[in-house]
Amino acid sequence: MRKIEAVILSAFVLALGPLCSLAYPLQTNAVDFFNPLDNGGSMLDDAGSGGGEPLNVIISGLSSPAVLTDSGIVNFAQAIGFSTDCFGIHLGDPQSANLGDGHGFVNQTIELRQDFGDPDLGTCLESLIGGNLFRVFRQNGPSANSGALFLAVSLEEDLDQNHSISPDGYNGGRDQLVSNAVGTHAFNGVTYSTVARQITGISIDGMVTLLTVTIS
């Protein structure tokens, strides 16, 4: 009788196995990010014509998962003074980056601009007078699936200057974004708490700042 019970119990456990896996998914890549340089990637994006911009801010893969989605990064950006392109119109070609995750070079996910306090129309002003902006690249390939967002942040000049990068614009843009982000901010009913730390050993132009963003 006990032998029969043991067989029934074993079958029951095997049947429950897939259900348990669905209910409690394994976090196999619970890391801040993977270093792109370890797998043939780069901390410079490809801006075309042989140039590139430094990936100088990383939003950690250990941030709240909702922050790391397409809509999530837009809402977080709006909480810290950035928004989408003026009337949804984007001029210029997208840049691409190889984050060493097995996908090779992939175009930016989105570009977000300083909104000067107006998330609806403020980026129209940025397009005219210049300001801070950042491009988003997601590390989610089969070789390095951290979910982290790598940002190419810069300060750009006004329209008359063809939006060229301001003097020390990469460091200045990074520092301004980080200053805006650290602490507690809210938008659209979502409250974010952000902490920053500097990353060494992977930077090309100045420092790389790692942001961990938690929804509270």
Side-chain angles (χ1 to χ4, degrees), residues 94-97 105-110 136-138:
Q95 296 183 15
S96 61
F105 279 92
V106 176
N107 282 349
Q108 63 196 47
T109 300
I110 195 169
V136 180
F137 303 90
R138 180 176 287 111

Side-chain angles (χ1 to χ4, degrees), residues 56-59 174 178 196-199 207-211:
N56 47 10
V57 174
I58 302 171
I59 297 182
R174 177 203 60 223
V178 171
R197 64 184 174 93
Q198 303 303 324
I199 301 297
M207 298 179 294
V208 175
T209 302
L210 179 73
L211 300 179

Side-chain angles (χ1 to χ4, degrees), residues 39-42 96-107 137-138 141-143:
N39 196 31
S42 175
S96 61
N98 181 353
L99 300 181
D101 61 2
H103 280 328
F105 279 92
V106 176
N107 282 349
F137 303 90
R138 180 176 287 111
S143 303

Side-chain angles (χ1 to χ4, degrees), residues 39-102:
N39 196 31
S42 175
M43 288 300 290
L44 278 178
D45 73 8
D46 182 356
S49 302
E53 299 187 352
L55 303 172
N56 47 10
V57 174
I58 302 171
I59 297 182
S60 169
L62 299 180
S63 298
S64 295
V67 175
L68 303 174
T69 65
D70 289 356
S71 60
I73 185 58
V74 170
N75 200 75
F76 173 66
Q78 290 172 324
I80 64 170
F82 294 81
S83 196
T84 52
D85 280 317
C86 177
F87 296 115
I89 300 171
H90 179 73
L91 301 177
D93 295 328
Q95 296 183 15
S96 61
N98 181 353
L99 300 181
D101 61 2

Side-chain angles (χ1 to χ4, degrees), residues 13-188:
V13 170
L14 287 173
L16 279 181
L19 296 178
C20 292
S21 297
L22 289 173
Y24 303 100
L26 294 176
Q27 299 297 320
T28 55
N29 290 323
V31 296
D32 285 314
F33 64 95
F34 293 103
N35 186 347
L37 305 179
D38 290 341
N39 196 31
S42 175
M43 288 300 290
L44 278 178
D45 73 8
D46 182 356
S49 302
E53 299 187 352
L55 303 172
N56 47 10
V57 174
I58 302 171
I59 297 182
S60 169
L62 299 180
S63 298
S64 295
V67 175
L68 303 174
T69 65
D70 289 356
S71 60
I73 185 58
V74 170
N75 200 75
F76 173 66
Q78 290 172 324
I80 64 170
F82 294 81
S83 196
T84 52
D85 280 317
C86 177
F87 296 115
I89 300 171
H90 179 73
L91 301 177
D93 295 328
Q95 296 183 15
S96 61
N98 181 353
L99 300 181
D101 61 2
H103 280 328
F105 279 92
V106 176
N107 282 349
Q108 63 196 47
T109 300
I110 195 169
E111 184 174 324
L112 296 154
R113 299 177 178 276
Q114 187 175 354
D115 67 16
F116 297 97
D118 184 343
D120 296 318
L121 298 175
T123 58
C124 298
L125 180 61
E126 195 279 340
S127 295
L128 292 174
I129 69 171
N132 204 351
L133 77 152
F134 64 92
R135 308 170 194 276
V136 180
F137 303 90
R138 180 176 287 111
Q139 188 178 58
N140 64 350
S143 303
N145 186 12
S146 69
L149 303 179
F150 286 65
L151 312 183
V153 192
S154 61
L155 291 171
E156 66 177 9
E157 297 293 300
D158 61 24
L159 185 60
D160 287 341
Q161 299 296 317
N162 296 314
H163 291 158
S164 59
I165 301 300
S166 302
D168 201 30
Y170 297 122
N171 292 330
R174 177 203 60 223
D175 293 347
Q176 186 181 105
L177 182 145
V178 171
S179 178
N180 286 0
V182 169
T184 301
H185 305 277
F187 188 81
N188 247 357

